[in-house]
Coordinates of all heavy atoms in Angstrom, one line a residue:
S1 N 19.5 34.8 -8.9 CA 19.9 36.2 -9.4 C 20.1 37.1 -8.3 O 20.7 38.2 -8.4 CB 18.8 36.7 -10.3 OG 17.6 36.9 -9.6
G2 N 19.7 36.8 -7.1 CA 19.8 37.7 -5.9 C 21.1 37.7 -5.3 O 22.0 36.8 -5.6
K3 N 21.3 38.6 -4.3 CA 22.5 38.7 -3.5 C 22.1 39.0 -2.1 O 21.1 39.5 -1.8 CB 23.4 39.8 -4.0 CG 24.0 39.6 -5.4 CD 24.8 40.7 -5.9 CE 25.3 40.5 -7.3 NZ 26.0 41.6 -7.8
G4 N 23.0 38.6 -1.2 CA 22.9 39.0 0.2 C 21.6 38.6 0.8 O 21.2 37.4 0.7
E5 N 21.0 39.5 1.5 CA 19.8 39.3 2.3 C 18.6 38.8 1.4 O 17.8 37.9 1.8 CB 19.3 40.5 3.1 CG 20.3 40.8 4.2 CD 19.8 42.0 5.0 OE1 18.7 42.5 4.9 OE2 20.7 42.6 5.8
D6 N 18.5 39.4 0.2 CA 17.4 39.0 -0.7 C 17.6 37.5 -1.1 O 16.6 36.8 -1.1 CB 17.3 39.9 -1.9 CG 16.2 39.5 -2.8 OD1 15.0 39.4 -2.3 OD2 16.4 39.2 -4.0
Q7 N 18.8 37.1 -1.4 CA 19.0 35.7 -1.8 C 18.8 34.8 -0.6 O 18.1 33.7 -0.8 CB 20.5 35.5 -2.3 CG 20.7 34.1 -2.8 CD 22.1 33.9 -3.2 OE1 23.1 34.2 -2.5 NE2 22.3 33.5 -4.5
E8 N 19.2 35.2 0.6 CA 18.9 34.4 1.8 C 17.4 34.2 2.0 O 16.9 33.1 2.3 CB 19.6 34.9 3.0 CG 21.1 34.8 3.0 CD 21.6 33.3 2.9 OE1 21.0 32.4 3.6 OE2 22.5 33.0 2.0
A9 N 16.7 35.3 1.9 CA 15.2 35.3 2.0 C 14.6 34.4 1.0 O 13.7 33.6 1.3 CB 14.6 36.7 2.0
A10 N 15.1 34.5 -0.2 CA 14.6 33.6 -1.3 C 14.8 32.1 -1.1 O 14.0 31.3 -1.3 CB 15.2 34.1 -2.7
K11 N 16.0 31.8 -0.6 CA 16.3 30.4 -0.2 C 15.4 29.9 0.8 O 14.9 28.8 0.7 CB 17.8 30.3 0.3 CG 18.8 30.4 -0.8 CD 20.2 30.3 -0.4 CE 20.6 30.1 1.0 NZ 22.1 30.1 1.2
K12 N 15.1 30.7 1.8 CA 14.2 30.3 2.9 C 12.8 30.2 2.3 O 12.1 29.2 2.6 CB 14.1 31.4 4.0 CG 13.3 31.0 5.2 CD 13.3 32.1 6.2 CE 12.4 31.6 7.4 NZ 12.1 32.6 8.3
E13 N 12.3 31.1 1.4 CA 11.0 31.0 0.8 C 10.9 29.8 -0.1 O 9.9 29.1 -0.1 CB 10.8 32.3 0.0 CG 9.4 32.5 -0.4 CD 9.2 33.9 -1.0 OE1 9.8 34.9 -0.6 OE2 8.4 33.9 -2.0
L14 N 12.0 29.5 -0.8 CA 12.0 28.3 -1.7 C 11.9 27.1 -0.9 O 11.1 26.2 -1.2 CB 13.2 28.3 -2.6 CG 13.4 27.1 -3.5 CD1 12.3 27.1 -4.6 CD2 14.8 27.1 -4.2
T15 N 12.6 27.0 0.2 CA 12.6 25.8 1.0 C 11.2 25.6 1.6 O 10.6 24.5 1.7 CB 13.6 25.9 2.2 OG1 14.9 26.0 1.5 CG2 13.6 24.7 3.1
E16 N 10.6 26.7 2.1 CA 9.2 26.7 2.6 C 8.2 26.2 1.5 O 7.3 25.4 1.8 CB 8.8 28.0 3.2 CG 9.5 28.4 4.5 CD 9.2 29.8 4.9 OE1 8.4 30.5 4.3 OE2 9.9 30.2 5.9
F17 N 8.4 26.7 0.3 CA 7.5 26.2 -0.8 C 7.7 24.7 -1.0 O 6.7 24.0 -1.1 CB 7.9 27.0 -2.1 CG 7.4 26.4 -3.3 CD1 6.1 26.5 -3.7 CD2 8.3 25.6 -4.1 CE1 5.6 25.9 -4.9 CE2 7.8 25.0 -5.3 CZ 6.5 25.1 -5.7
L18 N 8.9 24.3 -1.1 CA 9.1 22.8 -1.3 C 8.6 22.0 -0.1 O 8.0 20.9 -0.3 CB 10.6 22.6 -1.5 CG 11.2 23.2 -2.8 CD1 12.7 23.0 -2.8 CD2 10.5 22.6 -4.0
K19 N 8.7 22.5 1.1 CA 8.2 21.7 2.2 C 6.7 21.7 2.2 O 6.0 20.7 2.6 CB 8.7 22.3 3.5 CG 10.2 22.0 3.8 CD 10.6 22.6 5.1 CE 12.1 22.4 5.3 NZ 12.4 21.2 6.0
T20 N 6.1 22.8 1.7 CA 4.6 22.8 1.5 C 4.2 21.8 0.5 O 3.2 21.0 0.7 CB 4.1 24.2 1.1 OG1 4.5 25.1 2.1 CG2 2.6 24.2 0.8
M21 N 5.0 21.7 -0.6 CA 4.7 20.7 -1.6 C 4.9 19.3 -1.1 O 4.1 18.4 -1.4 CB 5.5 20.9 -2.9 CG 5.2 22.3 -3.6 SD 3.4 22.6 -3.9 CE 3.0 21.2 -5.0
E22 N 5.9 19.1 -0.2 CA 6.1 17.8 0.4 C 4.9 17.4 1.2 O 4.5 16.2 1.2 CB 7.4 17.8 1.3 CG 8.7 17.6 0.6 CD 9.8 17.5 1.6 OE1 9.8 18.1 2.7 OE2 10.8 16.9 1.3
G23 N 4.4 18.4 2.0 CA 3.2 18.1 2.8 C 2.0 17.7 1.9 O 1.2 16.8 2.3
E24 N 1.8 18.4 0.8 CA 0.7 18.0 -0.1 C 0.9 16.6 -0.7 O 0.0 15.9 -0.9 CB 0.6 19.1 -1.2 CG -0.5 18.8 -2.2 CD -1.9 18.6 -1.7 OE1 -2.2 19.0 -0.5 OE2 -2.7 17.9 -2.3
L25 N 2.2 16.3 -1.0 CA 2.5 15.0 -1.6 C 2.2 13.9 -0.6 O 1.6 12.9 -0.9 CB 4.0 14.9 -2.0 CG 4.5 13.6 -2.6 CD1 3.7 13.3 -3.9 CD2 6.0 13.7 -2.8
G26 N 2.5 14.2 0.7 CA 2.2 13.2 1.8 C 3.0 11.9 1.5 O 4.1 11.9 1.1
E27 N 2.2 10.8 1.6 CA 2.8 9.5 1.4 C 2.6 8.9 -0.1 O 2.9 7.8 -0.3 CB 2.3 8.5 2.4 CG 2.7 8.9 3.8 CD 4.1 9.0 4.1 OE1 4.9 8.2 3.6 OE2 4.5 10.0 4.7
K28 N 2.0 9.8 -0.9 CA 1.7 9.3 -2.3 C 3.0 9.2 -3.1 O 3.9 10.0 -2.8 CB 0.7 10.3 -2.9 CG -0.6 10.4 -2.2 CD -1.5 11.4 -2.9 CE -1.0 12.8 -2.6 NZ -1.8 13.9 -2.9
R29 N 3.0 8.4 -4.1 CA 4.1 8.3 -5.0 C 4.2 9.6 -5.9 O 5.3 10.1 -6.1 CB 4.0 7.1 -5.9 CG 4.2 5.8 -5.2 CD 4.3 4.6 -6.1 NE 4.9 4.7 -7.4 CZ 6.3 4.7 -7.6 NH1 7.1 4.6 -6.6 NH2 6.8 4.8 -8.8
F30 N 3.1 10.1 -6.3 CA 3.0 11.2 -7.2 C 1.9 12.1 -6.7 O 1.0 11.6 -5.9 CB 2.7 10.9 -8.6 CG 3.8 10.0 -9.2 CD1 3.5 8.6 -9.4 CD2 5.0 10.5 -9.6 CE1 4.5 7.8 -9.9 CE2 6.0 9.6 -10.2 CZ 5.7 8.3 -10.3
F31 N 1.8 13.4 -7.1 CA 0.8 14.2 -6.6 C -0.6 13.7 -7.1 O -1.6 13.9 -6.5 CB 1.0 15.7 -7.1 CG 2.1 16.3 -6.3 CD1 3.4 16.3 -6.7 CD2 1.8 17.0 -5.1 CE1 4.4 16.9 -6.0 CE2 2.8 17.6 -4.3 CZ 4.2 17.5 -4.8
G32 N -0.5 13.0 -8.3 CA -1.7 12.4 -8.8 C -2.1 11.1 -8.2 O -3.0 10.4 -8.7
G33 N -1.4 10.6 -7.2 CA -1.6 9.4 -6.5 C -0.6 8.3 -7.0 O 0.6 8.6 -6.8
D34 N -1.0 7.2 -7.5 CA -0.1 6.2 -8.0 C 0.4 6.5 -9.4 O 1.4 5.9 -9.8 CB -0.8 4.8 -8.0 CG -1.0 4.3 -6.6 OD1 -0.3 4.7 -5.7 OD2 -2.0 3.6 -6.4
T35 N -0.2 7.5 -10.1 CA 0.2 7.8 -11.4 C 0.5 9.3 -11.5 O 0.0 10.1 -10.7 CB -0.9 7.4 -12.5 OG1 -2.1 8.2 -12.1 CG2 -1.1 6.0 -12.5
I36 N 1.3 9.7 -12.5 CA 1.6 11.1 -12.7 C 0.4 11.8 -13.1 O -0.4 11.3 -13.9 CB 2.7 11.2 -13.8 CG1 4.0 10.7 -13.2 CG2 2.8 12.6 -14.3 CD1 5.2 10.6 -14.1
G37 N 0.2 13.0 -12.5 CA -1.0 13.8 -12.8 C -0.7 15.2 -13.1 O 0.5 15.6 -13.4
F38 N -1.7 16.0 -13.1 CA -1.6 17.4 -13.5 C -0.5 18.2 -12.7 O 0.3 18.9 -13.2 CB -3.0 18.1 -13.3 CG -3.1 19.4 -13.9 CD1 -3.1 19.6 -15.2 CD2 -3.4 20.5 -13.0 CE1 -3.2 20.9 -15.7 CE2 -3.5 21.8 -13.5 CZ -3.5 22.0 -14.9

């Protein structure tokens, strides 16, 4: 929904969020380990 600088900032923030989640996922198949979890 954003435009210009706000949209660019949001894209950066979203990417950082997803990279944080990648870090939490680590080498596991799912965040719950081998099975889907919460």
Side-chain angles (χ1 to χ4, degrees):
S1 66
K3 293 179 182 174
E5 289 180 17
D6 182 55
Q7 186 182 53
E8 288 303 313
K11 285 177 7 184
K12 183 178 179 190
E13 196 174 322
L14 178 65
T15 301
E16 288 172 5
F17 163 77
L18 294 173
K19 287 181 185 267
T20 298
M21 296 310 297
E22 279 185 332
E24 176 58 22
L25 179 63
E27 298 304 317
K28 300 177 287 194
R29 288 186 41 77
F30 300 102
F31 288 93
D34 289 332
T35 60
I36 289 174
F38 189 66

